[in-house]
Amino acid sequence: MTFALGQRWISDTESDLGLGTVVALDARTVTLMFAASEENRVYARNDAPVTRVTFNVGDVIDCQEGWSLKVEQVLEENSVFTYIGTREDSGEEGVALREIFLSNQIRFNKPQDKLFAGQIDRMDNFVLRYRALNNQYQQHKSPMRGLCGMRAGLIPHQLYIAHEVGRRHAPRVLLADEVGLGKTIEAGMIIHQQVLSGRAERILIVVPETLQHQWLVEMLRRFNLHFSVFDEERCVEAFAEADNPFETQQFVLCSLDFLRKSRKRFEQALDAEWDLLVVDEAHHLEWSVDNPSREYQVIEALSESTPGVLLLTATPEQLGRESHFARLRLLDSDRFYDYEAFVQEEAQYEPVADAVSALFSGHALADDAKNQIAELLSEQDVEPLFRILESDSDQAQQAAARQELIDNLMDRHGTGRVLFRNTRAAIKGFPVRNVHLMPMEIPQQYTTSMRVAGMIGGKMSPQARAMKMLYPEEIFQEFEGDDASWWQFDSRVNWLLEKIKAKRSDKILVIASRASTALQLEQALREREGIRATVFHEGMSILERDKAAAYFAQEEGGAQVLICSEIGSEGRNFQFASQLVMFDLPFNPDLLEQRIGRLDRIGQKQDIDIHVPYLKGTSQAILARWYHEGLNAFAETCPTGRAVYDEFAERLIALLASGEETGLDEIVAASAQMNKTLKAQLEQGRDRLLEMHSNGGERAQKIAEQIAATDGDTNLVTFALSLFDTVGLNQEDRGENALVVTPSEHMMVPSYPGLPYEGATITFDRDTALSREDMHLISWEHPMIQGGMDLLMSEGVGVSAVSLLKNKALPVGTILIELVYVVDAQAPKRSGISRFLPKTPIRMLMDSRGTDLSAQVDFESFNRQLSPVNRHLASKLVSSVQNDIHRLISASEIPVVEHVAAIRTQAQQEMQHSLNGELERLQALKAVNPNIRDEEIAALEQQIVALNGYISEAQYQLDSLRLIVVAHN
């Protein structure tokens, strides 16, 4: 290929990029700039998948400045063309237009060239291509885009928050749901929507080190989002590719400690320009007016330079109001600038909550309530609504009036736009926890080894000694060596074996602190009783953990018992099980809650049994009693646990280190009292208005119902199987709603998007995917479907075809042409164009007289009447009617232009209605609620102007065509 600066080329594989310009050359590569879509591509010179753009005499071409030229002469100088001709607008002759000034929006509609050249595709490929175009269009237009494809239960409050926040420009919010309500899933759904809509291309997630793996797994398993974990080793590796390692990946996950400890890495992360920052466990960021912590300063700097910010935190007031204010400050320091002013403002939310509660009740409003609402909202706005509530209007009208009043109150008062919090009390639907504490005799072997350990462990710190004494099996192992089998005599193991045998039909989850304990317990179960068990710990790869979880989830022939280590179980939900055994106890109330949270989650169908076997007269007994009587942490969620622990940790550690119970009664009583006081304060501080706003009520229910209605879409199953067949993937039915899909030697491309090299087990059923984490949940949003449809388009699959129609009512040899045009506005993805004008297919069915029959003849029913033709016969048929095909394509141009004009108008109206409505609402709210950010309004105004331009420039091109010839035999 001969390249020269200024030449115009189009991409063979990415036709939607528009017209490209050669902007740089060297000995091996050529760089093309595609101005219409704001993209650059670098290709190898000898193997670039591009086609040179040349026009001939008689063609009409567009200039970047908006005028058109009818070409009369083509000159070439230094491999660059200049077109000479007449300007169509002014009639001026002899006008020169150098190719560098050609419009970037010029399109090339040439499926007919393939047809005439004999490159005729199979009929079923043409059908698949048309269905892909239709399905892509439907998915882009869906208001639920980004929420249907995740592997998660359809839980209304989660979907409501994600739907509310995920569609915003650069959302800056605090997600503060109580434990077990799914903050990580909400964040993932928001991220997924932002990515699909193009609003966020670069994302940084910052979490405590212990949660890195959990986030990595959750983002990959639930949302098919591949994050890269960055630590010092990864940064050193990435330095070979770029000066700033954070610029080598789009989606990055790292620990807060990593950024805090290295100023260099922190500054690189700061310079890397992110679209969205996500921070988990934000309540650990300590702040005071005079002395913000280093961790807080790191996140503050990142949040100031990043447009979108999601903070995930425990219940806001759990750590005090000042700490809560500090987190809101990270979201909007202009709005939350003064702590005292914030406290005063919060006090004013109470009457709003009362007014909303009165409306929610559905009863007639008392005069006091009406006066209160009229004070909060302007009188002229509420009077008409009050009249509807007091009249004999039908229930639907009354419900709409109530909802409008509630929406206005919620919108205009409180921190509802920046803060979302759901509580278990407000959500309901959680299982009952049945607690079984079982004191057991301590074996003589443990007593001896612990006494010796106590004698020689004098130099240990109290904390280290306390930790050691909690695990007598480890102490025994140290003295007796690796061959020692503590599990042959441990009374907890004997009890566990009997419990498992008694619960043969139940799945049992066992959690131990250490991976070594988990492995030895599995050995004990296998060797002593032949019980099917599997382990799950941090030393295993993600694939090994998936296999273990799948073996446990399997109903027939699966493991009855799964034994997890503390860290190994993070982020996994085993809510199909209801039996939890704590073989030992963690040293931290948060970890205890995390353990129970493996089973006690929203969506758990059964009450759960929590079994706590412990050895009498040991540190285990002390800790079990403190958790049970001091915190009631086994029976109920304990949002106050950490605060109580911090208060009593020193005294508790001393008892655990000694194993003596002297003084335990006093600590337990004081802990219980403090716990009760803190819980009462939390209850009193509950922001009822916020809870009402966060769970979404009936609207949340409707979102869940809408998404549930798309589950089990038979159209998706049919399409996916045809797609896999066409690309050349092997498919094997595994039963249980599962298919195994693997690459084959005869694939259309070397690797298939979203499919691992070793293949994947897939299901189309949400419930199956939720219980089997080794399976991919296939939806319209899954990379295997999205990538497959993109592949069909870029590889030109099904662009031209020939079919036979056996119909005795029509003369033999009668021809019809089926044409599929695509309307497309070339615009950056982040502009939001796909919401209003995604690629839109227009199907036309032209008879031999040039009449479009598509309105009368449905695609699917017509397609069932057609038969395929072999390529040799198809080429002959095309040759014999080539002039007719040209004539009918020309005849289709007039009606298609009308269709395009109607599509543009419709898109403009939808965009104006949607975005202007949102803009007016935000501007009205800005006057009364300072939570509306100026940049959010400015971004919306700019988006409307930009989209107006992009939609009015929308072009059409012929995407594919099929010749249909009538035959009788």
Side-chain angles (χ1 to χ4, degrees), residues 196-260:
L196 279 186
S197 66
R199 288 191 178 106
E201 292 175 3
R202 291 184 47 72
I203 299 167
L204 174 65
I205 299 179
V206 182
V207 300
E209 199 158 346
T210 54
L211 296 182
Q212 282 184 129
H213 182 263
Q214 175 184 336
W215 272 87
L216 185 72
V217 169
E218 291 273 277
M219 292 301 106
L220 182 59
R221 289 284 173 265
R222 291 190 184 280
F223 305 101
N224 302 297
L225 294 169
H226 294 256
F227 275 81
S228 302
V229 175
F230 269 49
D231 52 19
E232 188 55 35
E233 191 182 338
R234 176 63 188 259
C235 286
V236 171
E237 275 174 31
F239 189 67
E241 297 173 51
D243 291 343
N244 185 341
F246 286 94
E247 289 172 353
T248 61
Q249 294 294 331
Q250 296 294 89
F251 300 164
V252 173
L253 174 62
C254 70
S255 79
L256 179 55
D257 250 15
F258 172 57
L259 295 181
R260 178 182 65 83

Side-chain angles (χ1 to χ4, degrees), residues 127-158:
V127 173
L128 186 66
R129 185 181 186 88
Y130 178 66
R131 287 176 181 156
L133 282 167
N134 259 332
N135 287 322
Q136 269 185 333
Y137 172 76
Q138 299 292 350
Q139 294 311 307
H140 280 287
K141 293 288 280 183
S142 167
M144 297 299 137
R145 187 161 184 247
L147 292 175
C148 299
M150 80 278 176
R151 182 214 295 270
L154 301 179
I155 296 169
H157 78 269
Q158 293 176 355

Side-chain angles (χ1 to χ4, degrees), residues 406-426:
I406 289 167
D407 288 348
N408 284 331
L409 285 165
M410 298 282 213
D411 253 350
R412 297 186 190 189
H413 300 276
T415 50
R417 270 189 71 77
V418 292
L419 174 59
F420 291 86
R421 180 178 79 220
N422 282 296
T423 61
R424 286 177 172 238

Side-chain angles (χ1 to χ4, degrees), residues 644-684:
V644 179
Y645 171 80
D646 289 344
E647 178 68 25
F648 292 98
E650 203 173 312
R651 291 160 68 186
L652 197 57
I653 286 166
L655 291 187
L656 294 172
S658 67
E660 299 293 329
E661 293 194 17
T662 314
L664 179 60
D665 289 350
E666 187 190 328
I667 292 175
V668 165
S671 297
Q673 184 54 51
M674 181 179 175
N675 193 38
K676 186 179 173 186
T677 306
L678 287 175
K679 276 195 167 178
Q681 285 171 2
L682 272 185
E683 186 60 30
Q684 202 176 348

Side-chain angles (χ1 to χ4, degrees), residues 370-516:
K370 282 198 287 191
N371 291 339
Q372 204 167 43
I373 293 168
E375 274 178 38
L376 293 163
L377 304 172
S378 67
E379 203 158 331
Q380 68 262 33
D381 286 349
V382 297
E383 276 307 320
L385 298 171
F386 285 158
R387 281 200 293 278
I388 292 171
L389 292 178
E390 287 163 6
S391 68
D392 296 329
S393 306
D394 64 29
Q395 282 188 319
Q397 270 187 308
Q398 291 205 349
R402 270 181 203 284
Q403 193 58 54
E404 192 174 333
L405 284 167
I406 289 167
D407 288 348
N408 284 331
L409 285 165
M410 298 282 213
D411 253 350
R412 297 186 190 189
H413 300 276
T415 50
R417 270 189 71 77
V418 292
L419 174 59
F420 291 86
R421 180 178 79 220
N422 282 296
T423 61
R424 286 177 172 238
I427 296 294
K428 310 273 191 300
F430 283 89
V432 171
R433 297 178 179 185
N434 301 311
V435 184
H436 311 277
L437 265 69
M438 282 146 306
M440 298 184 178
E441 294 303 326
I442 183 166
Q444 183 60 43
Q445 294 94 321
Y446 283 169
T447 311
T448 306
S449 55
M450 286 167 76
R451 189 168 61 246
V452 176
M455 287 157 53
I456 62 175
K459 291 180 183 171
M460 293 174 90
S461 70
Q463 180 148 355
R465 183 192 287 268
M467 288 293 287
K468 194 175 182 71
M469 300 308 265
L470 281 173
Y471 311 109
E473 65 278 7
E474 283 193 359
I475 297 172
F476 175 77
Q477 195 94 23
E478 276 178 30
F479 284 104
E480 300 296 328
D482 289 344
D483 298 333
S485 301
W486 56 268
W487 44 266
Q488 296 283 16
F489 58 78
D490 191 311
S491 44
R492 293 171 298 169
V493 177
N494 299 337
W495 167 85
L496 180 60
L497 290 169
E498 292 307 315
K499 173 59 68 180
I500 293 167
K501 286 192 286 183
K503 296 267 184 187
R504 281 284 185 203
S505 58
D506 290 355
K507 296 279 187 184
I508 299 173
L509 178 66
V510 179
I511 302 186
S513 294
R514 309 285 206 269
S516 55

